[in-house]
Amino acid sequence: EAQVTQNPRYLITVTGKKLTVTCSQNMNHEYMSWYRQDPGLGLRQIYYSMNVEVTDKGDVPEGYKVSRKEKRNFPLILESPSPNQTSLYFCASSRPPDNEQFFGPGTRLTVL
Amino acid sequence: DAKTTQPPSMDCAEGRAANLPCNHSTISGNEYVYWYRQIHSQGPQYIIHGLKNNETNEMASLIITEDRKSSTLILPHATLRDTAVYYCIVRVADSWGKFQFGAGTQVVVTP
């Protein structure tokens, strides 16, 4: 089954404790993205990647890192999480030319 | 980047067609219009996209005006499962990976 998986689905952590949210897709897509969703602010793109080793900032990249060492994986790294990063996070993948994005189920992160 | 404007909410009776408008008056010639929807807090789901011609698939139809400044997503026979937030997105022309979601339209389908 074609899908995007994210882990963990739920995470409660404390300020400053480094964490990684994994994202994996099995569709051989070139493009992958990370979004966060907050009440009243909608979905905002954090980072995106056009292929292995090619990443770029979205609209809200501050406080996040990403890497794309393999085509199928695109982890989101929070080196020093803060409470304002409490959010619902989505990973997505797509490929040209249609660029139809497939989204993962989401990761609900709470930073205390 | 072209911005989109959608009504914040709309209701639709089950079995009737739902017509969701989107304004994108600053769209440029090589920017596509995409529609996604999000049911509760699930991951958004792709619906349809188009450049300037009308498009139809098994989920919906997309009607783009001749001047491309607005479009309408049509759900031909709305069901309760179509209750969701619908997003109209214009893809940034110079970057295949960059997407900007707006606030969307909350559609409630009622029995």
Side-chain angles (χ1 to χ4, degrees):
Chain A
E1 179 190 356
Q3 60 182 350
V4 177
T5 57
Q6 296 179 226
N7 282 293
R9 294 289 312 281
Y10 302 91
L11 178 61
I12 300 174
T13 188
V14 296
T15 298
K17 186 176 181 182
K18 180 179 179 180
L19 66 91
T20 299
V21 184
T22 64
C23 172
S24 183
Q25 50 96 3
N26 63 0
M27 295 167 280
N28 200 36
H29 284 169
E30 285 84 352
Y31 304 142
M32 298 187 73
S33 291
W34 275 103
Y35 297 86
R36 62 177 289 174
Q37 186 169 32
D38 304 288
L41 295 176
L43 279 151
R44 294 178 293 170
Q45 194 175 37
I46 303 171
Y47 269 96
Y48 61 96
S49 169
M50 296 176 69
N51 215 321
V52 175
E53 303 293 1
V54 182
T55 63
D56 207 348
K57 296 177 180 179
D59 292 321
V60 288
E62 295 78 19
Y64 304 94
K65 287 176 58 176
V66 293
S67 69
R68 188 93 182 272
K69 293 181 170 35
E70 304 169 279
K71 196 173 186 179
R72 64 182 291 126
N73 296 322
F74 191 42
L76 179 69
I77 303 157
L78 285 71
E79 295 263 355
S80 182
S82 63
N84 64 12
Q85 293 178 299
T86 292
S87 189
L88 178 59
Y89 291 87
F90 291 103
C91 179
S93 73
S94 62
R95 67 163 159 239
D98 289 341
N99 214 1
E100 167 192 343
Q101 291 194 87
F102 290 81
F103 281 80
T107 295
R108 191 168 291 280
L109 172 66
T110 301
V111 183
L112 302 174
Chain B
D1 300 341
K3 303 295 187 208
T4 62
T5 304
Q6 299 177 252
S9 64
M10 60 184 296
D11 295 335
C12 178
E14 188 177 20
R16 304 293 294 271
N19 295 282
L20 283 63
C22 179
N23 285 320
H24 31 79
S25 58
T26 60
I27 192 170
S28 59
N30 58 351
E31 289 182 309
Y32 289 75
V33 181
Y34 286 76
W35 283 85
Y36 285 77
R37 72 180 184 184
Q38 186 176 24
I39 298 171
H40 194 45
S41 293
Q42 298 177 19
Q45 176 189 22
Y46 166 84
I47 301 173
I48 199 167
H49 76 284
L51 182 62
K52 54 184 178 181
N53 297 321
N54 297 339
E55 302 287 346
T56 296
N57 63 20
E58 65 279 3
M59 288 182 68
S61 295
L62 173 61
I63 309 297
I64 302 174
T65 58
E66 193 169 340
D67 63 8
R68 300 187 70 241
K69 293 184 176 181
S70 66
S71 60
T72 300
L73 179 74
I74 301 173
L75 308 177
H77 305 286
T79 71
L80 300 179
R81 288 191 299 271
D82 292 323
T83 292
V85 177
Y86 287 77
Y87 296 98
C88 170
I89 302 152
V90 173
R91 190 175 73 188
V92 177
D94 62 353
S95 176
W96 282 86
K98 202 167 187 180
F99 267 68
Q100 292 180 317
F101 284 78
T105 296
Q106 173 67 63
V107 173
V108 177
V109 180
T110 55

